[in-house]
Amino acid sequence: MTDDSAGGLAPASRTALAQAEVIIGGARHLELAKAGPRGLAWPVPFSLAPVLAARGKRTVMLTSGDPFWFGAGGQLAQELSPAEWRVHSAPSTFSMIAARLGWRLEEVTCHGLHAAPFARLRAVLAPRARMICLLRDAAAPAAFAEWLTSHGAGQAVLHICERLGGPKESVRKTTAAAFDVTEISPPVAAAVELPSGVGLSRASGLADDLFSHDGQITKRPVRALTLSALAPKPGARLWDLGAGSGSISVEWCLAGGQAISVERREDRMGHILENIDRFGLDHRMQTVLADALPFVKEDEPPDAVFVGGGAGAALFDALYARLEKGSRLVANAVTLETEALLTRLHADRGGELMRIDLSTAGPLGGMRGWQAARPVVQWAVTL
């Protein structure tokens, strides 16, 4: 239901509400639906336990708009059989905002930030892009404006949308840097028009200084070549073995995949966790403190593996024993010993072997000269 009353619902929804033995919802919805003694408020934090406890009774679960778009519908459908539930959708908040502002919804990205960090948006900030973001409470819009400003989007235009679909609905306009909207009445969402010059490059190889690291990071040009060799795909899973700062995992996840960063040094775990937080990847990226070899023998096989450190013959034997056909394996070597190993693997297993020699201009006396980085040997193969 939208933010008006039960009288605004479609006939099928009104019938379900009238016949319900139990009505579960937020306080606002219960009041609008005149649930009375049949009403049961959602617990805080949110849980489906009251719905599941009412199994066998005619039960109505009140949600805003479309419960299968950043709503509780998907969670409930996983717990019940198809014969146990039916949905009567109302217009989603996204649809109502697009209708109020005249935006083409297919050209807008939509986000649920009720319980997610604003950093989830790092991957979608883009010049002149439009976003619609569902926010947690009355304090969230000001915090959201502050976050946008801190990420170079202070000139973003914000439409603060409150209680859409009812007589108290409001749409107020401001900018992120000059945010001045007060006395906000939830439920609330922000429709955002981003300025030019914002967002991360979507080419492989982000600048090194965007990451938290202790110097143990796959440098930008090599990272770009490594990610190209790994060939990220949306939804694909990566093992990043010997992860260092986790930069490979971060860029893999920004391309829509999921990753597990495996690092044996505890002092580097903080950098990986910081990068997960910086880029808002807690829903896509995990970190594990472990040696690579035992991890490989226990976890579910991924779609791709990057070996960035600690490589030995036993590790590659274990990978070949676990990985499925079509998996991608990429390894980088900077030592002579690991280079010799990759050379043998290339001869035995095929794939591509590449030596990467890079130099950058730097001061040389009063002039400039080329400063060579350590060469990297890269082996890439599809099983």
Side-chain angles (χ1 to χ4, degrees):
M1 61 190 297
T2 54
D3 194 48
D4 45 18
S5 69
L9 295 172
S13 297
R14 291 202 302 271
T15 298
L17 197 58
Q19 296 177 348
E21 299 173 72
V22 179
I23 301 173
I24 303 175
R28 172 177 57 93
H29 280 149
L30 294 174
E31 181 181 355
L32 290 170
K34 298 181 171 59
R38 297 178 297 163
L40 182 62
W42 287 118
V44 179
F46 175 81
S47 168
L48 288 175
V51 181
L52 300 178
R55 235 171 178 157
K57 298 180 180 179
R58 291 190 301 274
T59 303
V60 163
M61 176 173 127
L62 296 174
T63 68
S64 298
D66 185 346
F68 286 91
W69 204 353
F70 296 106
Q75 293 173 263
L76 185 64
Q78 290 178 343
E79 299 289 342
L80 302 176
S81 70
E84 288 184 285
W85 60 271
R86 181 178 303 167
V87 62
H88 301 286
S89 293
S92 69
T93 301
F94 304 113
S95 296
M96 288 192 289
I97 291 176
R100 300 297 187 275
L101 300 179
W103 289 3
R104 293 178 181 269
L105 199 53
E106 69 271 18
E107 297 175 356
V108 177
T109 60
C110 299
H111 309 276
L113 300 179
H114 301 94
F118 299 138
R120 289 272 178 94
L121 302 178
R122 286 292 299 273
V124 297
L125 294 181
R128 296 170 295 281
R130 286 174 168 172
M131 307 185 298
I132 298 176
C133 303
L134 308 182
L135 300 176
R136 180 182 297 119
D137 52 29
F144 183 40
E146 183 178 354
W147 183 88
L148 286 169
T149 302
S150 70
H151 286 80
Q155 297 308 306
V157 176
L158 272 62
H159 305 268
I160 305 302
C161 306
E162 307 158 71
R163 305 197 69 165
L164 292 184
K168 297 181 180 179
E169 80 169 23
S170 169
V171 179
R172 292 183 278 176
K173 184 177 177 180
T174 183
T175 66
F179 188 86
D180 58 356
V181 179
T182 59
E183 298 182 1
I184 293 171
S185 179
V188 60
V192 185
E193 298 177 83
L194 291 166
S196 60
V198 299
L200 298 170
S201 168
R202 293 314 317 125
S204 297
L206 295 174
D208 295 345
D209 60 8
L210 291 176
F211 298 91
S212 172
H213 63 90
D214 61 358
Q216 186 67 21
I217 183 174
T218 303
K219 300 299 190 292
R220 183 186 63 80
V222 176
R223 192 177 340 114
L225 291 169
T226 300
L227 285 157
S228 177
L230 284 167
K233 298 180 179 67
R237 294 179 64 243
L238 172 74
W239 283 348
D240 184 0
L241 306 179
S245 66
S247 62
I248 293 289
S249 292
V250 165
E251 295 213 40
W252 176 277
C253 292
L254 289 174
Q258 299 179 341
I260 300 179
S261 292
V262 182
E263 175 55 52
R264 64 184 180 85
R265 285 183 48 172
E266 189 171 1
D267 59 324
R268 288 179 177 154
M269 297 297 286
H271 293 291
I272 299 174
L273 292 170
E274 170 64 21
N275 287 323
I276 290 173
D277 184 60
R278 283 188 186 187
F279 292 92
L281 297 174
D282 57 302
H283 61 314
R284 295 185 181 275
M285 183 173 162
Q286 304 173 48
T287 183
V288 174
L289 179 65
D291 287 322
L293 186 55
F295 171 83
V296 163
K297 293 179 178 179
E298 295 175 4
D299 199 61
E300 288 295 317
D303 301 289
V305 178
F306 172 59
V307 181
L315 176 60
F316 288 102
D317 288 343
L319 287 169
Y320 263 84
R322 292 300 315 280
L323 296 179
E324 299 173 352
K325 184 176 176 58
S327 300
R328 189 75 170 151
L329 172 59
V330 177
N332 288 353
V334 294
T335 66
L336 292 174
E337 291 77 10
T338 309
E339 179 179 333
L341 174 59
L342 297 188
T343 302
R344 289 198 302 272
L345 288 167
H346 176 250
D348 295 340
R349 307 281 192 175
E352 301 172 338
L353 192 66
M354 177 172 61
R355 180 182 166 99
I356 305 167
D357 287 288
L358 295 168
S359 299
T360 55
L364 184 61
M367 305 181 76
R368 292 173 300 154
W370 292 111
Q371 297 179 347
R374 289 181 182 273
V376 176
V377 171
Q378 183 180 95
W379 177 54
V381 64
T382 299
L383 278 64

